[in-house]
Amino acid sequence: MTPLAAVVGALVAWLAIGAAGVVRPRDVAVVRVLFPLGAGVAIVLAWAALAALGKPAEIAVLPLGLPGLPFHLRLDALSAFFLVLLGSASAAISLFSSGYFRSEQGAAPGRIGLEYHVFLAAMGFVLIANDAYLFMIAWETMAVASYFLV
């Protein structure tokens, strides 16, 4: 498996973890499982990006997007460096967050888990975007997710 495939797999895993939080949004036990799982995905992301640091750039085209305008991905040394930072910081934050949320506080913890993991995945896609279309979609998704987090 190439580092770019591992990075994309980790980002998709974050989206799946976020979607799993919606199943039982008020259950704190689910959040105490999903946030550490998200931390594990963050560690995988950091390791995959670390493996890409000394290699030439990888480029991929996803069959998503508009007809005739697919998403283009690129993992080079600069994006790998920032993905290492994203993975290591989000691993620590996710581990802390698993004990932070309580059911009697404010919003539903499962919904916060969705917004948080969508934010992380969108930030990762911003870092590996190789065209303006994917960058714009990922940036706006990150902005909307951060708006709902606040």
Side-chain angles (χ1 to χ4, degrees):
M1 175 180 277
T2 65
L4 181 59
V7 165
V8 171
L11 298 179
V12 171
W14 268 339
L15 292 174
I17 290 169
V22 177
V23 175
R24 295 175 63 185
R26 293 262 175 217
D27 192 2
V28 177
V30 170
V31 171
R32 292 181 193 234
V33 170
L34 294 181
F35 276 99
L37 192 60
V41 170
I43 292 169
V44 168
L45 174 74
W47 277 107
L50 197 61
L53 276 176
K55 296 184 177 178
E58 287 184 61
I59 298 173
V61 178
L62 295 180
L64 302 171
L66 294 174
L69 190 59
F71 292 151
H72 295 82
L73 306 174
R74 178 183 173 99
L75 181 62
D76 54 8
L78 183 64
S79 60
F81 172 75
F82 284 105
L83 284 170
V84 169
L85 293 179
L86 174 66
S88 38
S90 61
I93 292 167
S94 295
L95 287 177
F96 176 78
S97 298
S98 65
Y100 182 77
F101 294 109
R102 312 266 189 287
S103 61
E104 61 271 357
Q105 293 178 347
R111 195 190 81 203
I112 291 173
L114 168 70
E115 295 158 356
Y116 171 70
H117 288 99
V118 167
F119 173 78
L120 289 177
M123 187 181 297
F125 276 113
V126 164
L127 295 174
I128 62 171
N130 195 27
D131 61 356
Y133 180 55
L134 175 59
F135 182 83
M136 179 189 65
I137 297 293
W139 185 272
E140 292 303 323
T141 303
M142 185 179 69
V144 169
S146 65
Y147 172 79
F148 285 113
L149 272 171
V150 173

